[in-house]
């Protein structure tokens, strides 16, 4: 695409127009030219390098909704991104120009409903890039260039490339899920759904000291990825007897399907804990809750992330794996 006009900053050029991925309605996904708004004093201009496709992006495209968030107007998708700062915020906040960054896509805000202040991810008026939870919707970051508040930027550690850096947000979701599970050291943990979030949950569990991590999925490819991420063994979801025989101390449900959640309940040991990460469709779901009651299984939700991305600015003291795939203080 030829830029109609540009603003020059140092050796970098900020175009006036950019290409963006926009969901208009169920089944209607378009690549469109969009105007790059003039950055406010507290905003930095980024050149987006990589973007991960979240399940919510797929739901907006395929179904026009993600859980309770219903698409009511065209919305730019994307919230798992990395890029480079082309122009730093004029007010001096945030990373300097040419810094490699990822983006914390949430803006916690209050609202009328009660919520725990130490869990800002639950604030009722919280907005999220590429989310239709509120109207007007919050546009996402699947665009070549974007102006974002500098407070949302997290500088990447020196040993983390931009491609891997795009995993920061989904990895923070995985950290959140494992933290909701409590201490998993020495425990048998079942991960239902070995897609991107499930695989990252496996990796976090491995670093958290789980004694045995069992991944379940219907796709052999996903199970292979889970093994590479650290699963001790895998089971195809069609083998229900083998899955239920796991009797997990902790189960983390990442499939976002009613069948997956039913499997998770059946495979969790009596007195165990079940963390629900996968986002099910809006409305009632056919899940064997009576089994969870009679087994006294603790059911816990896990929503986005909270403080899990706050360690990114302190990257100098981060504990990063040699390949840069997992970093945490």
């Amino acid at each position: 695409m030829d830029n109609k006009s540009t603003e020059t900053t140092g050796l970098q050029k900020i175009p006036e127009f950019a290409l963006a991925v926009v969901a208009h309605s169920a089944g209607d996904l378009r690549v469109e030219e969009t105007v790059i708004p003039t950055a406010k004093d507290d905003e930095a201009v980024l050149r987006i390098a990589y973007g991960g496709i979240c399940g919510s992006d797929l739901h907006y495209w395929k179904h026009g909704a993600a859980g309770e968030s219903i698409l009511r107007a065209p919305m730019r998708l994307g919230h798992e991104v990395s890029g480079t700062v082309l122009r730093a915020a004029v007010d001096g906040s945030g990373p300097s120009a040419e810094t490699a960054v990822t983006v914390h896509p949430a803006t916690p805000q209050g609202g009328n409903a009660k919520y725990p202040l130490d869990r800002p991810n639950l604030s009722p008026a919280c907005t999220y890039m590429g989310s239709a939870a509120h109207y007007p919707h919050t546009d996402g970051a699947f665009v070549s260039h974007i102006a974002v508040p500098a407070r949302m930027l997290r500088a990447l550690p020196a040993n983390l490339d931009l491609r891997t850096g795009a995993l920061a947000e989904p990895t923070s979701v995985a950290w959140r899920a494992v933290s909701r599970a409590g201490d998993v050291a020495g425990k048998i943990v079942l991960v239902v759904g070995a897609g991107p979030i499930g695989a990252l949950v496996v990796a976090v569990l491995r670093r958290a000291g789980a004694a045995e991590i069992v991944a379940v999925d219907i796709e052999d490819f996903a199970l292979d990825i889970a093994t590479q991420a650290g699963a001790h063994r895998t089971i195809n979801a069609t083998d229900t007897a083998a899955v239920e025989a796991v009797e997990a101390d902790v189960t983390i449900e990442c499939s976002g399907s009613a069948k997956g959640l039913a499997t998770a309940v059946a495979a969790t040991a009596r007195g165990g804990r079940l963390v629900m990460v996968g986002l099910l469709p809006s409305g009632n779901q056919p899940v064997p809750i009576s089994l969870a009651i009679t087994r006294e299984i603790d059911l816990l939700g896990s929503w986005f992330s909270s403080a899990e991305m706050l360690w990114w600015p302190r990257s100098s003291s981060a504990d990063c794996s040699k390949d840069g795939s997992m970093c945490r203080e």
Side-chain angles (χ1 to χ4, degrees):
M1 178 185 69
D2 292 328
N3 296 320
K4 301 291 191 302
S5 63
T6 60
E7 172 190 343
T8 302
T9 172
L11 299 178
Q12 304 289 348
K13 291 184 177 180
I14 299 175
E16 180 182 350
F17 297 90
L19 289 178
V21 179
V22 180
H24 282 252
S25 61
D28 186 359
L29 187 69
R30 308 179 195 178
V31 176
E32 300 177 341
E33 187 177 74
T34 184
V35 175
I36 302 175
T38 301
K40 300 175 183 177
D41 287 352
D42 64 345
E43 292 182 332
V45 179
L46 308 184
R47 181 179 64 245
I48 298 297
Y50 293 95
I53 300 173
C54 179
S56 64
D57 296 318
L58 296 177
H59 284 303
Y60 285 126
W61 166 32
K62 293 289 189 179
H63 311 297
E68 301 293 330
S69 302
I70 300 172
L71 198 63
R72 290 187 280 167
M75 180 183 73
R76 190 168 65 226
L77 300 179
H79 56 264
E80 305 175 6
V81 297
S82 65
T84 303
V85 177
L86 294 186
R87 192 191 72 185
V90 172
D91 66 3
S93 62
S96 59
E98 301 185 3
T99 300
V101 297
T102 186
V103 179
H104 190 328
T107 301
Q109 301 178 77
N112 296 325
K114 182 172 68 175
Y115 72 98
L117 295 180
D118 61 344
R119 293 156 73 179
N121 57 312
L122 302 181
S123 58
C126 180
T127 60
Y128 218 81
M129 296 181 75
S131 170
H134 302 284
Y135 187 82
H137 303 326
T138 305
D139 274 330
F142 280 173
V143 60
S144 59
H145 296 74
I146 189 172
V148 297
R151 60 174 172 74
M152 301 176 78
L153 303 182
R154 304 290 184 266
L156 296 177
N159 68 329
L160 209 63
D161 61 87
L162 284 167
R163 186 171 185 268
T164 306
L167 290 172
E169 191 277 343
T171 301
S172 72
V173 171
W175 279 114
R176 178 70 178 173
V178 175
S179 69
R180 293 284 286 157
D183 185 7
V184 299
K187 294 183 178 179
I188 299 172
V189 184
L190 178 69
V191 179
V192 178
I197 294 296
L200 289 167
V201 166
V202 166
V204 175
L205 287 168
R206 192 64 183 252
R207 289 175 67 84
E212 184 180 19
I213 304 165
V214 184
V216 173
D217 202 283
I218 59 174
E219 298 287 345
D220 290 337
F221 175 78
L223 294 176
D224 289 342
I225 296 295
T227 298
Q228 295 176 46
H232 296 92
R233 63 187 179 100
T234 62
I235 304 173
N236 192 288
T238 58
D239 191 348
T240 56
V243 176
E244 292 180 11
V246 172
E247 293 189 313
D249 302 307
V250 173
T251 299
I252 302 181
E253 205 296 306
C254 302
S255 74
S257 70
K259 288 184 178 179
L261 183 53
T263 296
V265 171
T268 303
R270 296 172 183 271
R273 178 166 290 186
L274 169 54
V275 179
M276 298 170 287
V277 184
L279 185 60
L280 276 72
S282 179
N284 298 329
Q285 301 295 327
V287 178
I289 293 299
S290 61
L291 191 59
I293 295 170
T294 57
R295 291 185 177 183
E296 288 194 355
I297 295 173
D298 295 336
L299 301 178
L300 296 172
S302 184
W303 184 239
F304 288 128
S305 64
S306 185
E308 286 74 20
M309 282 191 77
L310 295 181
W311 41 270
W312 281 93
R314 302 190 293 275
S315 57
S316 61
S317 59
D319 170 25
C320 297
S321 59
K322 290 182 179 179
D323 64 357
S325 62
M326 283 285 156
C327 304
R328 186 174 174 91
E329 286 193 341

